[in-house]
Amino acid sequence: MCEQCSLKTYRSDSTILAVLLEKHERKYNALVYGVPESDNEDIHAVLNTFFIQDLKIDKEKAESFPIANAHRIPSRQTSDQIRRPAPIIVRFIHHGDKQYALSKGYNLSNKHMRIVDDLPPVMKESRHELAKLAYKIRNEEHLQTRIKVVGTRILLQTRTNSKDNWFLRREALCCLPYK
């Protein structure tokens, strides 16, 4: 193997490892989009309301989620865009609580809200592109879609109904080899 080839392999391997490390650091984080903002809001009260009213989680269960930290992230919007509420980033203490909240995301289907895993920026961009494609597939082909993250790969899967198996429709590789 030539020295230049091994250097390219090293760069791509280190890039993949860096993305995986950042993904692991964000393992307990979730992003919540579309929750209305108010002045002087108590973010923990806003989240409890979101969990109970929007995600339809039992009040006792929602109030038992220990949250390490939560705050709004300033959004990058131009002045001509419709003003959307700033997203909320939530760091759960227990990974199981985060997974439970994410599993209730189907309750947000008609609400212009969503809750997703926090991913490194390069993976967020890929997920966003797949989400646009998934929206198009749902509207034009009337298929169910889901986006799944496996390592540094992001998978768009489709099926016709809940009794069918999921089929891979598109795959995004977030860390292509260095060129």
Side-chain angles (χ1 to χ4, degrees):
M1 181 183 275
C2 68
E3 188 174 317
Q4 191 175 22
C5 295
S6 66
L7 182 58
K8 287 181 182 177
T9 303
Y10 174 74
R11 284 183 179 168
S12 69
D13 288 348
S14 63
T15 302
I16 290 170
L17 290 174
V19 170
L20 285 172
L21 178 63
E22 187 174 356
K23 182 182 168 207
H24 181 73
E25 289 174 356
R26 295 169 182 249
K27 179 179 180 178
Y28 292 89
N29 296 355
L31 290 169
V32 180
Y33 293 94
V35 176
E37 290 183 71
S38 62
D39 294 333
N40 301 321
E41 68 185 359
D42 175 9
I43 202 70
H44 293 283
V46 169
L47 284 171
N48 272 342
T49 302
F50 171 74
F51 292 148
I52 295 165
Q53 291 180 0
D54 299 313
L55 290 181
K56 309 272 191 268
I57 296 174
D58 293 332
K59 184 177 181 180
E60 296 78 26
K61 176 93 171 156
E63 291 175 349
S64 73
F65 290 162
I67 294 174
N69 195 7
H71 60 89
R72 292 221 183 238
I73 302 170
S75 59
R76 295 176 283 159
Q77 294 180 347
T78 60
S79 60
D80 60 333
Q81 289 179 325
I82 297 171
R83 178 82 174 116
R84 293 188 179 129
I88 301 171
I89 187 164
V90 185
R91 184 163 183 90
F92 290 87
I93 299 236
H94 302 295
H95 187 256
D97 291 341
K98 179 190 113 173
Q99 291 303 111
Y100 184 75
L102 289 174
S103 74
K104 295 292 190 170
Y106 67 88
N107 288 315
L108 303 174
S109 61
N110 297 323
K111 295 187 178 183
H112 299 293
M113 294 179 181
R114 63 189 176 121
I115 181 169
V116 295
D117 266 323
D118 183 25
L119 295 173
V122 67
M123 294 182 78
K124 281 182 194 174
E125 292 166 11
S126 296
R127 179 176 59 194
H128 179 68
E129 291 303 315
L130 288 180
K132 290 192 293 189
L133 178 59
Y135 179 79
K136 185 177 177 183
I137 290 169
R138 283 193 305 274
N139 288 327
E140 293 176 4
E141 300 176 32
H142 306 290
L143 296 173
Q144 295 177 354
T145 63
R146 77 173 177 187
I147 296 174
K148 196 173 182 181
V149 178
V150 179
T152 57
R153 298 172 24 210
I154 302 178
L155 311 173
L156 171 58
Q157 298 175 328
T158 61
R159 66 181 181 186
T160 53
N161 60 51
S162 60
K163 295 179 181 170
D164 285 345
N165 291 325
W166 289 103
F167 295 100
L168 179 64
R169 181 68 175 260
R170 179 76 53 91
E171 179 177 357
L173 302 173
C174 299
C175 303
L176 296 175
Y178 180 80
K179 293 183 180 183

